């Protein structure tokens, strides 16, 4: 079977969301009989993260040692690995985007087909400019201009370019029209959720809504709208509470207090590993996403889908995420406090606990990994 090398700065046992996609793909390929080597940044690079994600059995994992010259050492390590073995395909998980400056050259030199896997857009992505000072925006724009030839060279050499949303694929197709045929969409997808069982809840509130990950980071206004709507419902006797698990640096409580908003219906339970977070979500009645971009889907929405939880979206409209969520049966999609209040009231008073009445596996990681394997075979067997 084929010999695959994956370059992914975050990889198991790191529990960051950015490690999930390539760790899952590696496990899938190994189970199919492929040989898989992964090169990651190592624990020192993400030293404040949890390290509980299970490494795939049979993986050859190479981690960088601590260095002040990360990009230089990463390039040297990849070159060293390429010289020690022959590979049928190299998959590069981006961002971070360091490898875009040199990986295509190393692959070309060693005659290794390259698949670029964009977890997020790199250049001229509006989210990177939103809310920044003029000075930062100009600096970012100039850096994007300087990096544009590198992205072009990387895409020109690549055998395939994968993105995680249809709009991101469309953006790259429009930018690099000559190479549009290389570009495909493979969603992030959700893990096998069968191990997580919803048990009887021990909660004083009749309805709990969970948020896994960042709450205020992407869109402070949308977060405040959601809490205000929740507070209004509680004042009317419609009990509900937000359970937030994620980074302490999110500073949600500080923002609520600064805006003189009642915090009684917001509960922060700390940073959890993936399995613990999913089990916590199992106990919730619904799940919320706060988002601040017109493009992108994020990753938590797929976890919510996998657990079949009603999804509440508070953020910019129209947006790709809002449009995507609207496909499902039981959702709330809003960009203002009043619509959130009405939507939440409907979920709570009708005791709605499921996203879909007839859930499917269409968005599972297994299905997405099958698409990735098909792509790999089309390149190697060409």
């Amino acid at each position: 079977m084929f010999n695959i090398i994956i370059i992914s700065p975050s990889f198991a046992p790191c529990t960051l969301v950015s490690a999930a996609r390539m760790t899952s793909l590696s496990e899938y390929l190994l189970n199919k009989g492929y040989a898989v080597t992964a090169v990651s940044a190592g624990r020192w690079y993400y030293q404040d993260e949890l390290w509980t994600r299970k490494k795939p059995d049979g993986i050859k994992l190479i981690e960088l040692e601590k260095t002040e010259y990360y990009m230089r050492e990463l390039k040297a390590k990849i070159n060293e690995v390429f010289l020690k073995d022959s590979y049928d395909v190299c998959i590069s998980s981006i961002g971070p985007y360091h490898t875009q400056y040199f990986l295509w050259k190393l692959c070309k030199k060693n005659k290794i087909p390259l698949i670029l896997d964009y977890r997020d857009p790199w250049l001229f992505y509006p989210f990177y400019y939103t809310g920044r000072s003029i000075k930062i925006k100009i600096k970012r724009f100039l850096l994007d201009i300087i990096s544009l030839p590198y992205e072009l060279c990387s895409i020109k050499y690549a055998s395939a370019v994968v993105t995680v949303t249809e709009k991101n694929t469309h953006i790259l197709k429009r930018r690099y029209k000559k190479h549009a045929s290389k570009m495909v969409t493979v969603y992030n997808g959700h893990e096998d959720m069968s191990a997580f069982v919803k048990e009887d809840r021990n909660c004083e509130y009749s309805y709990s809504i969970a948020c896994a990950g960042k709450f205020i980071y992407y869109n402070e206004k949308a977060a405040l709208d959601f809490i205000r709507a929740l507070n209004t419902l509680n004042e009317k006797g419609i009990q509900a509470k937000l359970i937030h698990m994620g980074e302490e640096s999110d500073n949600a409580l500080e923002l609520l207090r600064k805006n003189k908003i009642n915090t009684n219906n917001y509960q922060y339970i700390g940073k959890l590993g993936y399995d613990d977070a999913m089990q916590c979500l199992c106990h919730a009645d619904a799940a919320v996403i706060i988002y601040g971009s017109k493009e992108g889907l994020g990753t938590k929405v797929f976890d919510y889908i996998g657990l079949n939880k009603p999804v509440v979206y508070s953020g910019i409209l129209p947006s790709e995420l809002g449009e995507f969520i609207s496909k499902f049966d039981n959702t709330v999609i809003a960009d203002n406090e009043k619509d959130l209040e009405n939507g939440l009231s409907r979920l709570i008073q009708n005791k709605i606990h499921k996203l879909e009445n007839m859930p499917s596996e269409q968005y599972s990681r297994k299905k997405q990994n099958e698409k990735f394997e098909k792509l790999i075979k089309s390149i190697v067997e060409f």
Side-chain angles (χ1 to χ4, degrees):
M1 192 54 84
F2 306 128
N3 193 11
I4 311 297
I5 183 165
I6 293 174
I7 314 298
S8 180
S10 56
F11 196 88
C14 179
T15 53
L16 277 172
V17 158
S18 54
R21 184 172 170 88
M22 286 297 110
T23 301
S24 175
L25 177 61
S26 298
E27 185 170 30
Y28 174 86
L29 294 175
L30 286 161
N31 289 337
K32 288 284 186 175
Y34 291 73
V36 182
T37 298
V39 178
S40 80
R43 297 191 179 216
W44 69 273
Y45 193 78
Y46 298 107
Q47 56 188 342
D48 295 328
E49 296 306 318
L50 297 173
W51 293 86
T52 58
R53 190 185 300 276
K54 184 180 180 296
K55 287 192 290 185
D57 293 335
I59 189 81
K60 182 180 179 182
L61 180 59
I62 299 167
E63 298 178 328
L64 262 67
E65 295 182 2
K66 188 172 183 179
T67 176
E68 294 180 9
Y69 308 101
Y70 171 71
M71 192 164 161
R72 187 176 72 185
E73 290 302 315
L74 178 63
K75 181 178 179 180
K77 179 58 70 176
I78 294 171
N79 189 50
E80 176 186 322
V81 173
F82 280 179
L83 293 174
K84 285 183 178 179
D85 205 346
S86 59
Y87 296 96
D88 296 296
V89 171
C90 175
I91 303 170
S92 176
S93 175
I94 47 180
Y97 307 96
H98 308 95
T99 53
Q100 286 288 73
Y101 294 101
F102 63 81
L103 185 57
W104 68 272
K105 288 184 180 180
L106 295 181
C107 286
K108 184 176 182 179
K109 178 183 175 182
N110 291 276
K111 299 180 181 178
I112 304 172
L114 174 63
I115 298 175
L116 299 174
D117 183 50
Y118 279 84
R119 293 187 310 100
D120 292 299
W122 182 22
L123 307 180
F124 310 107
Y125 187 32
F127 177 74
Y128 298 145
Y129 291 82
T130 304
R132 307 299 196 271
S133 67
I134 294 295
K135 184 178 179 180
I136 296 291
K137 286 180 180 179
I138 292 172
K139 185 178 179 180
R140 178 80 205 192
F141 181 74
L142 291 175
L143 181 60
D144 285 349
I145 291 290
I146 292 168
S147 300
L148 191 61
Y150 293 96
E151 183 172 67
L152 173 59
C153 288
S154 191
I155 287 176
K156 186 176 180 181
Y157 175 76
S159 299
V161 180
V162 180
T163 81
V164 296
T165 80
E166 295 292 350
K167 280 200 174 182
N168 288 349
T169 299
H170 176 70
I171 289 168
L172 286 178
K173 281 184 174 182
R174 190 174 57 198
R175 185 180 299 162
Y176 302 108
K177 294 177 182 178
K178 288 185 179 179
H179 308 287
S181 61
K182 297 180 180 182
M183 296 168 189
V184 297
T185 304
V186 179
Y187 291 122
N188 276 309
H190 61 78
E191 307 289 354
D192 177 7
M193 297 298 186
S194 59
F196 305 109
V197 181
K198 183 174 181 180
E199 302 168 357
D200 292 337
R201 296 184 302 120
N202 181 19
C203 179
E204 76 256 32
Y205 277 71
S206 59
Y207 203 89
S208 63
I209 304 167
C211 177
K214 296 180 178 70
F215 179 61
I216 68 168
Y217 176 80
Y218 293 112
N219 190 331
E220 288 188 2
K221 176 191 176 298
L224 293 175
D225 283 346
F226 176 82
I227 293 294
R228 287 187 176 117
L230 204 61
N231 287 345
T232 300
L233 290 173
N234 277 276
E235 289 167 6
K236 293 179 178 179
I238 303 171
Q239 279 197 335
K241 189 167 189 174
L242 174 68
I243 311 296
H244 177 209
M245 62 204 91
E247 299 281 352
E248 291 181 14
S249 58
D250 201 50
N251 291 328
L253 273 174
E254 183 179 324
L255 179 70
L256 296 177
R257 288 166 181 156
K258 180 181 177 182
N259 286 272
K260 299 179 180 179
I261 294 174
N262 182 359
T263 61
N264 290 342
N265 304 308
Y266 169 87
Q267 181 181 357
Y268 176 67
I269 61 172
K271 184 176 179 179
L272 303 179
Y274 181 81
D275 287 357
D276 290 336
M278 292 305 102
Q279 189 60 63
C280 185
L281 278 164
C282 280
H283 299 299
D285 297 296
V288 63
I289 297 176
I290 310 295
Y291 212 60
S293 175
K294 289 185 176 181
E295 295 87 19
L297 299 177
T299 54
K300 72 176 72 173
V301 67
F302 293 102
D303 292 327
Y304 298 169
I305 292 168
L307 293 169
N308 201 26
K309 296 294 177 182
V311 177
V312 180
Y313 169 85
S314 178
I316 293 173
L317 289 176
S319 68
E320 186 174 16
L321 182 53
E323 184 180 334
F324 178 77
I325 293 171
S326 70
K327 300 174 184 178
F328 299 92
D329 297 330
N330 298 315
T331 62
V332 176
I333 302 166
D335 62 356
N336 64 81
E337 181 184 339
K338 190 62 182 175
D339 286 348
L340 283 166
E341 181 188 335
N342 292 336
L344 288 169
S345 177
R346 174 176 53 82
L347 288 183
I348 298 163
Q349 297 202 81
N350 289 295
K351 298 179 180 179
I352 295 173
H353 306 287
K354 292 182 179 180
L355 175 63
E356 289 188 289
N357 299 321
M358 295 293 290
S360 73
E361 289 296 305
Q362 179 183 356
Y363 298 106
S364 68
R365 282 207 188 271
K366 180 183 176 184
K367 291 292 183 184
Q368 309 315 309
N369 288 336
E370 286 173 358
K371 293 179 185 177
F372 227 118
E373 184 193 16
K374 187 176 180 181
L375 179 63
I376 291 168
K377 285 183 173 179
S378 72
I379 293 168
V380 178
E381 296 173 351
F382 179 72

